Amino acid sequence: AAVSDYRILGTASLASLTLRLPQSPVNGQTVRISTQVAIGALIVTDGAGATADVQTPPSSLAGGGGFAAQWNAATSAWWCSAGA
């Protein structure tokens, strides 16, 4: 069903992290990210490393937090939502 779950594990908070979403997504593809540790500065990019087509990404995550991103082929954009 083109759903991927990723967990960020660790024992210490991260000052920053860049996440790169899949390069060749299919319509409706969903990526869910959850984290065990706090992430102070989060950058979410598309498969090419750009941020222009990633809509409403979180800029940080609390420990135990997460988000989901779904590809919309009609708008050629990843759409993020809180919670994972």
Side-chain angles (χ1 to χ4, degrees):
V3 175
S4 301
D5 289 302
Y6 297 95
R7 289 170 183 78
I8 301 164
L9 305 174
T11 57
S13 297
L14 298 173
S16 64
L17 180 70
T18 299
L19 292 173
R20 185 177 279 194
L21 297 170
Q23 241 180 350
S24 300
V26 296
N27 191 46
Q29 182 172 352
T30 301
V31 175
R32 293 187 298 229
I33 307 291
S34 59
T35 180
Q36 183 177 5
V37 300
I39 302 169
L42 179 65
I43 298 171
V44 183
T45 69
D46 64 13
T51 58
D53 66 347
V54 181
Q55 306 301 312
T56 65
S59 60
S60 63
L61 287 173
F67 74 99
Q70 186 174 51
W71 177 253
N72 183 310
T75 60
S76 296
W78 286 98
W79 291 88
C80 299
S81 58

